[in-house]
Amino acid sequence: MHPHPIVCFAAVQNYGVVASKIKVGDRVMVRGYGEGILAFDGRHATKGDRRYGVMLDGPMGKNNGTVGGHKYFECDDLHGILVPPKKVFFVQRPQLS
């Protein structure tokens, strides 16, 4: 078994349905940035449209969870990304022990 789940984008044609059920804490894939944990689901502070904030596994992002002086979530520098939900794909729900 792979240590990281593999998401086949072609097989996720109904990702809109899946994306609507993504919750903070879920493992996700961000198109163009890689995998991470969903840390924020809410409105952009100035634009007003919905955004997902993701803490990426590596330094592939653009921020530390703060964008334009507004803190959406907290993570290491360059590990954060704030994107429209259409760029985020569900990978895995956290395991409860």
Side-chain angles (χ1 to χ4, degrees):
M1 185 170 166
H2 263 279
H4 300 288
I6 297 173
V7 174
C8 176
F9 292 114
V12 189
Q13 291 181 356
N14 288 330
Y15 72 87
V17 173
V18 175
S20 69
K21 296 181 184 219
I22 294 174
K23 298 178 183 174
V24 169
D26 286 349
R27 184 152 193 77
V28 296
M29 168 83 68
V30 182
R31 189 176 347 163
Y33 293 94
E35 289 189 20
I37 303 296
L38 185 68
F40 172 82
D41 176 1
R43 299 279 171 199
H44 189 282
T46 58
K47 297 178 183 176
D49 49 351
R50 188 174 182 196
R51 291 287 193 253
Y52 280 165
V54 179
M55 293 186 299
L56 299 166
D57 292 344
M60 304 283 290
K62 295 183 174 182
N63 57 60
N64 64 357
T66 299
V67 178
H70 183 84
K71 185 176 181 178
Y72 294 93
F73 60 97
E74 233 177 284
C75 66
D76 291 338
D77 288 342
L78 299 178
H79 281 70
I81 191 73
L82 194 65
V83 295
K86 68 181 182 180
K87 290 189 172 191
V88 177
F89 300 86
F90 177 82
V91 174
Q92 182 179 12
R93 185 130 299 138
Q95 300 294 323
L96 300 176
S97 43

